[in-house]
Amino acid sequence: MDPDALDKAFMALADPVRRGIVARLSRGDATVNELAEPFAITKQAVSKHIQVLEHAGLVTRSRDAQRRPVHLDAAALEELTAWIDQYRLIAERRFRLLDELLVESGPGVLQGSQQQDEEELK
């Protein structure tokens, strides 16, 4: 995912209303009226939030007779998840290595470190 698209997606998801819209759309397509129901804001404000999500590539709209349902783009969310996962995996690997090092060092290392922490707090 290119950096600009990543920035747009995370900025779009920074707002709690937009996260709520994404959460609702994860259960299925919805119209602006349906998306506006749980929020104490105008339908016009919800439409603007949807435009931000569209601009970020997270949702799309289509025309179905008189309805204009909003759809969640699962592929875009998958790209965000993949980006996050690469860093999560790196962090997990580092913690596993740290765990192995502490196990190899024996239980005395942790106890000595804990005693040193307690002495510094006095």
Side-chain angles (χ1 to χ4, degrees):
M1 185 169 226
D2 74 87
D4 288 339
L6 197 60
D7 289 347
K8 286 177 188 175
F10 280 118
M11 285 192 307
L13 293 172
D15 185 276
V17 171
R18 292 192 284 268
R19 287 193 307 273
I21 291 170
V22 168
R24 167 54 185 86
L25 290 173
S26 71
R27 297 190 310 266
D29 299 346
T31 63
V32 172
N33 288 340
E34 293 167 337
L35 292 171
E37 285 175 11
F39 302 108
I41 58 176
T42 66
K43 290 175 187 156
Q44 191 175 30
V46 170
S47 286
K48 288 184 179 186
H49 283 294
I50 292 169
Q51 287 175 353
V52 172
L53 290 168
E54 274 184 299
H55 185 67
L58 298 174
V59 302
T60 58
R61 288 194 228 198
S62 64
R63 186 170 296 280
D64 180 19
Q66 296 297 320
R67 297 180 71 227
R68 291 214 30 171
V70 181
H71 319 278
L72 184 62
D73 186 344
L77 286 179
E78 182 61 35
E79 286 184 49
L80 288 176
T81 302
W83 184 86
I84 292 169
D85 276 349
Q86 71 182 350
Y87 295 103
R88 181 185 56 79
L89 292 171
I90 291 168
E92 285 179 1
R93 186 171 45 245
R94 294 177 75 195
F95 281 122
R96 276 194 305 273
L97 290 171
L98 180 60
D99 285 343
E100 290 172 13
L101 179 64
L102 291 173
V103 168
E104 289 173 7
S105 299
V109 171
L110 290 177
Q111 290 173 344
S113 175
Q114 191 175 23
Q115 288 173 350
Q116 186 178 15
D117 290 344
E118 289 172 2
E119 288 175 14
E120 288 177 6
L121 289 174
K122 291 180 182 178

